[in-house]
């Protein structure tokens, strides 16, 4: 188990994936909540089995994989179903993230979680790193990356903690409004800081 874990978060399009990849290039092991949350409902898992028992076979695609758009529809306007699903999946995701962090053997490890604060997962980490950009740049970069409208990006931003809330809770902040090379040097200096912090724990 890496004995020092950094929780990496930020709003949609802020640059979490870009930053996580830069840390990975420096040899740091990553655990990604988005990947883990897909793994716990993969074909053949107890998680998917429970979802099928609850919602029926219509929740499956022809190949036996989870039909995410049907599941999204089921929970969209039904808070009790959303709560049921969260109660099922959140403990599984948490446990699997911990298992993967346990296997990490870099000097420290990074847990990448879009909703780190919103879902209380900051309790799992030693310190938090928030990637910060203006809402305007966030909208522009996400529209370019995903080919979505400004309205779609703003809807997602509305479901995430505000910029001010994230900044208030952050131990470290990377301003990602500059170039990739500026970003890279910020990552390298935080990497050196985390190596030292990990040595002291
Ligand atoms: P997130 O994982 O937080 O949603 P990404 O890392 O995917 O964000 O970044 C969003 C988009 O912005 C991507 O297309 C990425 O290549 C681009 N991007 C990230 N950082 C920069 C930067 N400093 N300059 C220009 N483009 C960037």
């Amino acid at each position: 188990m890496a004995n020092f874990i950094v929780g990496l978060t930020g709003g949609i399009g802020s640059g979490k994936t870009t930053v996580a990849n830069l840390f990975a290039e420096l040899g740091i092991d990553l655990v990604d909540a988005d990947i883990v949350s897909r793994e716990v409902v993969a074909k053949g898992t107890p998680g998917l089995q429970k979802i099928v028992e609850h919602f029926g076979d219509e929740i499956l695609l022809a190949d036996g994989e989870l039909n995410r758009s049907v599941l999204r529809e089921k929970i969209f306007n039904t808070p009790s179903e959303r709560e049921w699903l969260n109660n099922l999946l959140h403990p599984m995701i948490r446990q699997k993230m911990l298992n993967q962090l346990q296997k990490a053997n870099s000097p420290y490890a990074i847990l990448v979680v879009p909703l780190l604060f919103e879902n209380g997962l900051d309790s799992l980490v030693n310190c938090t790193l928030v990637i910060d950009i203006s809402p305007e740049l966030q909208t522009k970069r996400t529209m370019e990356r995903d080919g979505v409208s400004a309205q779609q990006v703003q809807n997602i931003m509305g479901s995430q903690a505000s910029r001010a809330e994230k900044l208030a809770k952050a131990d470290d902040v990377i301003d990602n409004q500059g170039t990739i090379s500026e970003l890279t040097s910020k990552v390298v200096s935080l990497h050196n800081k985390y190596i030292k912090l990990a040595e002291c724990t």
Side-chain angles (χ1 to χ4, degrees):
M1 173 96 175
N3 62 355
F4 193 81
I5 298 160
V6 178
L8 171 59
T9 193
I12 182 167
S14 59
K16 292 179 293 300
T17 309
T18 309
V19 168
N21 290 339
L22 290 170
F23 278 108
E25 280 173 26
L26 296 169
I28 296 307
D29 289 338
L30 307 176
V31 174
D32 184 321
D34 280 344
I35 294 174
V36 172
S37 59
R38 285 195 290 274
E39 287 173 350
V40 298
V41 294
K43 199 170 162 178
T45 56
L48 184 56
Q49 179 63 33
K50 293 214 170 65
I51 291 173
V52 173
E53 281 164 18
H54 187 81
F55 290 108
D57 282 347
E58 57 178 314
I59 210 76
L60 292 178
L61 293 164
D63 63 1
E65 299 281 355
L66 178 62
N67 190 332
R68 288 169 189 285
S69 59
V70 170
L71 183 61
R72 261 196 303 276
E73 271 168 38
K74 295 257 182 212
I75 64 170
F76 189 66
N77 280 320
T78 318
S80 60
E81 295 289 34
R82 182 186 291 270
E83 199 185 331
W84 179 87
L85 190 68
N86 285 343
N87 288 341
L88 172 73
L89 297 181
H90 283 184
M92 289 181 173
I93 294 168
R94 196 184 174 93
Q95 191 54 52
K96 197 161 179 124
M97 290 192 311
L98 286 171
N99 291 348
Q100 293 188 0
L101 287 167
Q102 215 138 32
K103 289 185 198 139
N105 55 18
S106 50
Y108 64 94
I110 293 194
L111 180 62
V112 188
V113 191
L115 301 178
L116 184 76
F117 299 123
E118 293 87 337
N119 288 337
L121 293 167
D122 47 331
S123 65
L124 299 181
V125 303
N126 297 89
C127 68
T128 59
L129 170 58
V130 168
I131 315 305
D132 182 61
I133 60 175
S134 69
E136 292 74 26
L137 197 50
Q138 204 180 344
T139 306
K140 179 176 177 284
R141 286 186 184 161
T142 307
M143 287 169 70
E144 283 169 6
R145 184 192 60 188
D146 296 342
V148 292
S149 69
Q151 189 58 53
Q152 280 169 300
V153 182
Q154 271 143 33
N155 290 346
I156 294 169
M157 283 164 60
S159 69
Q160 302 182 334
S162 71
R163 185 182 189 188
E165 281 170 286
K166 283 191 274 247
L167 290 177
K169 290 187 172 176
D171 294 308
D172 292 299
V173 177
I174 288 185
D175 177 339
N176 184 25
Q177 301 183 112
T179 63
I180 294 286
S181 92
E182 285 166 334
L183 181 64
T184 306
S185 58
K186 289 174 189 174
V187 168
V188 169
S189 64
L190 276 173
H191 172 69
N192 292 328
K193 172 177 167 172
Y194 294 145
I195 297 252
K196 288 202 188 85
L197 285 172
E199 280 167 1
C200 304
T201 30

